[in-house]
Protein backbone atom coordinates (compact mmCIF):
# COMPACT_ATOMS: atom_id res chain seq x y z
CA UNK A 1 0.00 0.00 0.00
CA UNK A 2 1.38 3.44 -0.90
CA UNK A 3 2.69 5.53 1.97
CA UNK A 4 0.89 8.81 2.72
CA UNK A 5 2.48 12.13 3.60
CA UNK A 6 2.96 12.12 7.39
CA UNK A 7 0.50 14.41 9.19
CA UNK A 8 0.60 14.83 13.13
CA UNK A 9 -2.82 16.03 14.46
CA UNK A 10 -3.63 16.48 18.10
CA UNK A 11 -6.87 17.32 19.88
CA UNK A 12 -6.87 20.52 21.93
CA UNK A 13 -8.50 21.06 25.30
CA UNK A 14 -11.92 21.61 23.72
CA UNK A 15 -11.77 18.27 21.93
CA UNK A 16 -11.51 19.86 18.47
CA UNK A 17 -9.07 18.42 15.94
CA UNK A 18 -6.13 20.50 14.74
CA UNK A 19 -5.45 19.35 11.19
CA UNK A 20 -2.58 21.77 10.66
CA UNK A 21 -0.07 19.41 12.29
CA UNK A 22 1.01 16.19 10.61
CA UNK A 23 0.01 12.50 10.72
CA UNK A 24 -0.86 9.83 8.12
CA UNK A 25 -4.22 10.17 6.39
CA UNK A 26 -5.43 6.84 7.79
CA UNK A 27 -4.69 8.02 11.34
CA UNK A 28 -6.45 11.31 10.61
CA UNK A 29 -9.54 9.33 9.57
CA UNK A 30 -9.46 7.18 12.70
CA UNK A 31 -9.07 10.18 14.94
CA UNK A 32 -11.82 12.21 13.27
CA UNK A 33 -14.26 9.31 13.43
CA UNK A 34 -13.48 8.81 17.11
CA UNK A 35 -13.74 12.53 17.93
CA UNK A 36 -17.04 12.94 16.08
CA UNK A 37 -18.66 9.61 16.93
CA UNK A 38 -21.78 11.18 18.45
CA UNK A 39 -22.43 13.49 15.47
CA UNK A 40 -21.81 10.69 12.99
CA UNK A 41 -24.23 8.42 14.84
CA UNK A 42 -26.97 11.03 14.49
CA UNK A 43 -26.34 11.29 10.75
CA UNK A 44 -26.36 7.50 10.37
CA UNK A 45 -29.70 7.22 12.17
CA UNK A 46 -31.22 9.86 9.90
CA UNK A 47 -30.00 8.12 6.73
CA UNK A 48 -31.13 4.72 8.05
CA UNK A 49 -34.66 6.08 8.53
CA UNK A 50 -34.75 7.39 4.94
CA UNK A 51 -33.29 4.14 3.61
CA UNK A 52 -35.88 2.02 5.42
CA UNK A 53 -38.67 4.14 3.95
CA UNK A 54 -37.22 3.63 0.45
CA UNK A 55 -37.32 -0.15 0.95
CA UNK A 56 -41.12 -0.24 1.17
CA UNK A 57 -42.40 -2.08 -1.97
CA UNK A 58 -44.29 0.11 -4.43
CA UNK A 59 -46.35 -2.67 -6.00
CA UNK A 60 -47.44 -6.29 -5.91
CA UNK A 61 -45.14 -9.17 -6.84
CA UNK A 62 -44.63 -9.56 -10.60
CA UNK A 63 -44.44 -13.18 -11.71
CA UNK A 64 -42.11 -12.48 -14.63
CA UNK A 65 -40.00 -9.77 -13.00
CA UNK A 66 -36.65 -11.56 -13.33
CA UNK A 67 -37.06 -12.32 -17.04
CA UNK A 68 -37.72 -8.71 -18.00
CA UNK A 69 -35.21 -6.38 -19.49
CA UNK A 70 -31.67 -6.86 -20.66
CA UNK A 71 -29.36 -9.81 -20.08
CA UNK A 72 -26.63 -7.36 -19.11
CA UNK A 73 -24.00 -10.00 -18.38
CA UNK A 74 -24.57 -11.69 -21.73
CA UNK A 75 -24.61 -8.37 -23.56
CA UNK A 76 -21.33 -7.17 -22.05
CA UNK A 77 -19.72 -10.57 -22.66
CA UNK A 78 -20.61 -10.23 -26.36
CA UNK A 79 -18.82 -6.88 -26.70
CA UNK A 80 -15.17 -6.55 -27.83
CA UNK A 81 -13.04 -7.36 -24.80
CA UNK A 82 -15.93 -9.12 -23.06
CA UNK A 83 -16.52 -9.08 -19.33
CA UNK A 84 -12.86 -8.48 -18.53
CA UNK A 85 -12.59 -5.21 -20.45
CA UNK A 86 -15.97 -3.53 -20.03
CA UNK A 87 -17.69 -1.93 -17.05
CA UNK A 88 -20.96 -0.19 -16.22
CA UNK A 89 -20.60 3.52 -15.50
CA UNK A 90 -23.48 5.21 -13.68
CA UNK A 91 -23.55 9.00 -13.57
CA UNK A 92 -26.06 10.78 -11.39
CA UNK A 93 -26.43 11.57 -7.71
CA UNK A 94 -24.01 8.74 -6.81
CA UNK A 95 -21.38 8.18 -9.56
CA UNK A 96 -20.23 4.56 -9.71
CA UNK A 97 -18.25 2.16 -11.90
CA UNK A 98 -19.20 -1.51 -11.70
CA UNK A 99 -17.29 -4.51 -13.01
CA UNK A 100 -19.14 -7.77 -13.60
CA UNK A 101 -15.89 -9.71 -13.78
CA UNK A 102 -12.27 -9.43 -12.72
CA UNK A 103 -11.18 -5.91 -11.72
CA UNK A 104 -8.40 -4.43 -13.94
CA UNK A 105 -5.06 -4.83 -12.16
CA UNK A 106 -4.02 -1.20 -12.68
CA UNK A 107 -7.32 0.43 -11.68
CA UNK A 108 -5.83 1.76 -8.41
CA UNK A 109 -2.47 2.92 -9.76
CA UNK A 110 -3.19 6.52 -8.68
CA UNK A 111 -4.91 5.70 -5.40
CA UNK A 112 -3.80 5.13 -1.80
CA UNK A 113 -5.45 2.85 0.72
CA UNK A 114 -7.19 4.57 3.66
CA UNK A 115 -9.08 1.86 5.55
CA UNK A 116 -11.08 -1.36 5.09
CA UNK A 117 -13.81 -3.19 6.97
CA UNK A 118 -13.14 -6.61 8.53
CA UNK A 119 -15.07 -8.41 5.77
CA UNK A 120 -13.83 -6.29 2.86
CA UNK A 121 -12.39 -8.01 -0.21
CA UNK A 122 -9.54 -6.41 -2.14
CA UNK A 123 -10.40 -5.30 -5.70
CA UNK A 124 -7.54 -7.47 -6.97
CA UNK A 125 -9.04 -10.55 -5.29
CA UNK A 126 -12.69 -9.83 -6.07
CA UNK A 127 -14.64 -11.58 -8.82
CA UNK A 128 -16.39 -8.29 -9.54
CA UNK A 129 -17.54 -5.21 -7.67
CA UNK A 130 -18.33 -1.51 -7.70
CA UNK A 131 -16.41 1.72 -7.03
CA UNK A 132 -18.46 4.66 -5.72
CA UNK A 133 -17.37 8.29 -5.33
CA UNK A 134 -17.87 9.74 -1.82
CA UNK A 135 -16.00 13.05 -2.21
CA UNK A 136 -14.00 14.94 -4.84
CA UNK A 137 -10.95 12.84 -3.85
CA UNK A 138 -12.26 9.53 -2.47
CA UNK A 139 -13.91 6.32 -3.64
CA UNK A 140 -15.12 3.23 -1.82
CA UNK A 141 -15.03 -0.30 -3.22
CA UNK A 142 -17.55 -3.05 -2.52
CA UNK A 143 -16.86 -6.54 -3.87
CA UNK A 144 -19.56 -8.36 -5.81
CA UNK A 145 -21.60 -10.74 -3.66
CA UNK A 146 -24.51 -11.54 -5.96
CA UNK A 147 -26.25 -14.45 -7.60
CA UNK A 148 -28.14 -14.37 -10.89
CA UNK A 149 -31.71 -15.47 -11.41
CA UNK A 150 -32.83 -15.00 -15.00
CA UNK A 151 -31.86 -11.46 -15.99
CA UNK A 152 -31.78 -10.32 -12.37
CA UNK A 153 -28.88 -10.04 -9.94
CA UNK A 154 -29.59 -10.50 -6.22
CA UNK A 155 -27.48 -10.06 -3.12
CA UNK A 156 -26.51 -13.45 -1.69
CA UNK A 157 -27.43 -12.44 1.86
CA UNK A 158 -28.55 -9.41 3.91
CA UNK A 159 -25.91 -6.90 4.98
CA UNK A 160 -25.77 -6.16 8.70
CA UNK A 161 -23.37 -3.23 8.40
CA UNK A 162 -22.13 -1.94 5.05
CA UNK A 163 -18.84 -0.56 6.39
CA UNK A 164 -17.72 -4.10 7.27
CA UNK A 165 -17.53 -4.85 3.54
CA UNK A 166 -16.16 -1.56 2.17
CA UNK A 167 -12.63 -0.34 1.39
CA UNK A 168 -11.80 3.40 1.15
CA UNK A 169 -9.23 4.81 -1.28
CA UNK A 170 -7.90 8.35 -1.72
CA UNK A 171 -6.69 9.89 -4.99
CA UNK A 172 -2.95 10.39 -4.69
CA UNK A 173 -2.87 13.06 -7.41
CA UNK A 174 -4.23 15.63 -4.92
CA UNK A 175 -2.22 15.14 -1.69
CA UNK A 176 -3.89 16.07 1.58
CA UNK A 177 -3.02 19.68 2.45
CA UNK A 178 -3.99 20.70 6.01
CA UNK A 179 -3.63 24.37 5.03
CA UNK A 180 -6.19 24.08 2.23
CA UNK A 181 -9.91 24.55 2.97
CA UNK A 182 -10.81 22.56 -0.14
CA UNK A 183 -8.62 19.65 0.98
CA UNK A 184 -10.08 19.66 4.50
CA UNK A 185 -13.63 19.86 3.16
CA UNK A 186 -13.08 16.94 0.78
CA UNK A 187 -11.49 14.81 3.50
CA UNK A 188 -14.24 15.61 5.98
CA UNK A 189 -17.02 15.02 3.48
CA UNK A 190 -15.53 11.63 2.65
CA UNK A 191 -15.50 10.72 6.35
CA UNK A 192 -19.12 11.81 6.76
CA UNK A 193 -20.34 10.06 3.57
CA UNK A 194 -18.46 6.86 4.44
CA UNK A 195 -20.03 6.76 7.90
CA UNK A 196 -23.51 7.60 6.64
CA UNK A 197 -23.39 4.90 3.96
CA UNK A 198 -21.34 2.46 6.02
CA UNK A 199 -23.78 2.43 8.90
CA UNK A 200 -26.59 1.06 6.76
CA UNK A 201 -27.95 -2.47 7.03
CA UNK A 202 -29.84 -3.93 4.10
CA UNK A 203 -32.12 -6.85 3.30
CA UNK A 204 -31.55 -8.78 0.09
CA UNK A 205 -32.18 -6.51 -2.90
CA UNK A 206 -32.34 -7.58 -6.54
CA UNK A 207 -31.91 -5.52 -9.68
CA UNK A 208 -32.75 -5.78 -13.36
CA UNK A 209 -31.80 -3.58 -16.30
CA UNK A 210 -34.28 -2.29 -18.84
CA UNK A 211 -34.15 0.13 -21.77
CA UNK A 212 -36.65 2.97 -21.95
CA UNK A 213 -38.30 4.30 -25.12
CA UNK A 214 -35.24 6.45 -25.82
CA UNK A 215 -32.92 3.45 -25.52
CA UNK A 216 -31.46 4.53 -22.17
CA UNK A 217 -30.40 1.79 -19.78
CA UNK A 218 -32.24 1.88 -16.44
CA UNK A 219 -31.52 -0.02 -13.21
CA UNK A 220 -34.68 -1.15 -11.38
CA UNK A 221 -34.75 -2.61 -7.84
CA UNK A 222 -36.93 -5.51 -6.63
CA UNK A 223 -37.42 -7.71 -3.60
CA UNK A 224 -36.41 -11.38 -4.09
CA UNK A 225 -40.08 -12.30 -4.53
CA UNK A 226 -40.55 -9.79 -7.32
CA UNK A 227 -42.09 -6.74 -5.65
CA UNK A 228 -40.81 -3.48 -7.18
CA UNK A 229 -38.83 -1.07 -5.00
CA UNK A 230 -39.64 2.01 -7.03
CA UNK A 231 -38.32 4.45 -4.43
CA UNK A 232 -34.84 2.95 -4.88
CA UNK A 233 -34.83 3.77 -8.62
CA UNK A 234 -33.57 7.04 -10.06
CA UNK A 235 -34.57 7.78 -13.65
CA UNK A 236 -32.04 10.64 -13.71
CA UNK A 237 -29.14 8.18 -13.54
CA UNK A 238 -27.26 7.83 -16.83
CA UNK A 239 -25.91 4.32 -17.34
CA UNK A 240 -23.40 3.46 -20.01
CA UNK A 241 -21.05 0.59 -20.79
CA UNK A 242 -17.44 1.74 -20.97
CA UNK A 243 -14.21 0.01 -22.02
CA UNK A 244 -11.73 2.61 -20.73
CA UNK A 245 -11.35 3.19 -16.99
CA UNK A 246 -10.19 6.16 -14.95
CA UNK A 247 -11.81 6.32 -11.52
CA UNK A 248 -10.90 9.93 -10.85
CA UNK A 249 -12.05 11.28 -14.24
CA UNK A 250 -15.17 9.13 -14.44
CA UNK A 251 -16.33 9.27 -10.82
CA UNK A 252 -14.79 12.09 -8.78
CA UNK A 253 -14.97 14.62 -11.61
CA UNK A 254 -18.73 13.95 -11.70
CA UNK A 255 -19.22 14.00 -7.94
CA UNK A 256 -21.51 16.69 -6.49
CA UNK A 257 -21.44 17.42 -2.78
CA UNK A 258 -24.53 16.25 -0.94
CA UNK A 259 -24.24 19.22 1.40
CA UNK A 260 -23.47 22.16 -0.92
CA UNK A 261 -26.95 23.64 -1.05
CA UNK A 262 -27.90 23.17 2.59
CA UNK A 263 -28.80 26.46 4.27
CA UNK A 264 -28.20 25.05 7.75
CA UNK A 265 -24.94 23.50 8.94
CA UNK A 266 -24.11 20.45 6.86
CA UNK A 267 -22.93 17.16 8.38
CA UNK A 268 -19.42 17.96 7.13
CA UNK A 269 -19.54 21.35 8.83
CA UNK A 270 -20.77 19.76 12.03
CA UNK A 271 -17.93 17.28 12.01
CA UNK A 272 -15.36 20.03 11.48
CA UNK A 273 -16.89 22.09 14.29
CA UNK A 274 -18.54 19.82 16.89
CA UNK A 275 -19.41 22.76 19.14
Amino acid sequence: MPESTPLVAEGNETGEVDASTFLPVAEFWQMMQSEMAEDLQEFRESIETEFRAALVPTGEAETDWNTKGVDLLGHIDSLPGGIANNGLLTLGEVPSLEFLGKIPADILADWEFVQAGPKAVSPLEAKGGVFVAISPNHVVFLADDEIRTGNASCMKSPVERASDHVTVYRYSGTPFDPDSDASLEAETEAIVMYNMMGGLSSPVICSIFQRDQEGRLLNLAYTPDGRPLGQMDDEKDRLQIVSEFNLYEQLNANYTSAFTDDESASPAEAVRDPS
Side-chain angles (χ1 to χ4, degrees):
M1 117 188 17
E3 294 183 359
S4 349
T5 303
L7 282 169
V8 180
E10 299 177 33
N12 59 26
E13 293 180 356
T14 65
E16 296 179 355
V17 175
D18 179 7
S20 64
T21 49
F22 288 92
L23 56 68
V25 171
E27 290 184 32
F28 176 79
W29 268 61
Q30 293 173 4
M31 181 176 58
M32 287 291 284
Q33 291 177 99
S34 176
E35 291 283 344
M36 309 306 156
E38 185 175 341
D39 290 310
L40 292 171
Q41 180 61 30
E42 291 180 8
F43 303 142
R44 283 194 295 266
E45 290 173 356
S46 174
I47 293 298
E48 180 76 17
T49 299
E50 295 182 14
F51 184 60
R52 288 295 163 195
L55 288 173
V56 176
T58 52
E60 299 298 323
E62 302 172 8
T63 56
D64 60 346
W65 70 278
N66 62 347
T67 60
K68 291 181 178 180
V70 178
D71 176 5
L72 188 65
L73 187 65
H75 175 63
I76 291 179
D77 195 33
S78 71
L79 298 175
I83 294 294
N85 295 287
N86 290 278
L88 182 64
L89 177 65
T90 301
L91 298 180
E93 185 175 353
V94 183
S96 66
L97 179 60
E98 182 175 5
F99 294 93
L100 304 184
K102 194 72 174 174
I103 312 296
D106 61 348
I107 194 74
L108 292 168
D110 298 323
W111 296 81
E112 59 182 318
F113 172 89
V114 176
Q115 66 180 39
K119 300 179 182 179
V121 177
S122 164
L124 299 183
E125 297 176 355
K127 298 178 180 178
V130 61
F131 292 91
V132 181
I134 59 169
S135 93
N137 296 327
H138 300 76
V139 296
V140 294
F141 175 75
L142 176 65
D144 178 23
D145 187 27
E146 297 182 331
I147 56 175
R148 290 183 58 81
T149 168
N151 289 340
S153 296
C154 299
M155 297 161 52
K156 287 183 180 179
S157 58
V159 172
E160 186 172 327
R161 184 177 175 82
S163 59
D164 287 347
H165 305 268
V166 166
T167 305
V168 183
Y169 295 94
R170 190 184 191 287
Y171 181 57
S172 58
T174 54
F176 178 64
D177 179 0
D179 295 322
S180 164
D181 288 343
S183 183
L184 288 174
E185 288 171 1
E187 210 70 34
T188 306
E189 179 154 351
I191 291 170
V192 173
M193 292 295 291
Y194 166 77
N195 279 272
M196 290 170 64
M197 296 168 57
L200 294 176
S201 58
S202 174
V204 171
I205 298 175
C206 301
S207 62
I208 64 169
F209 293 87
Q210 287 187 324
R211 293 194 182 277
D212 64 12
Q213 295 180 347
E214 299 177 358
R216 297 183 308 164
L217 198 60
L218 304 175
N219 187 356
L220 306 179
Y222 281 83
T223 64
D225 61 357
R227 289 175 292 168
L229 298 173
Q231 297 181 82
M232 298 287 292
D233 305 331
D234 191 342
E235 294 183 357
K236 296 179 181 178
D237 282 347
R238 305 187 307 280
L239 282 66
Q240 55 185 296
I241 297 170
V242 294
S243 57
E244 295 183 1
F245 315 117
N246 184 313
L247 294 181
Y248 185 77
E249 293 296 332
Q250 291 170 314
L251 302 186
N252 301 91
N254 291 292
Y255 177 84
T256 301
S257 172
F259 312 123
T260 299
D261 297 326
D262 289 356
E263 294 182 1
S264 59
S266 71
E269 290 170 343
V271 170
R272 286 197 300 273
D273 182 8
S275 60

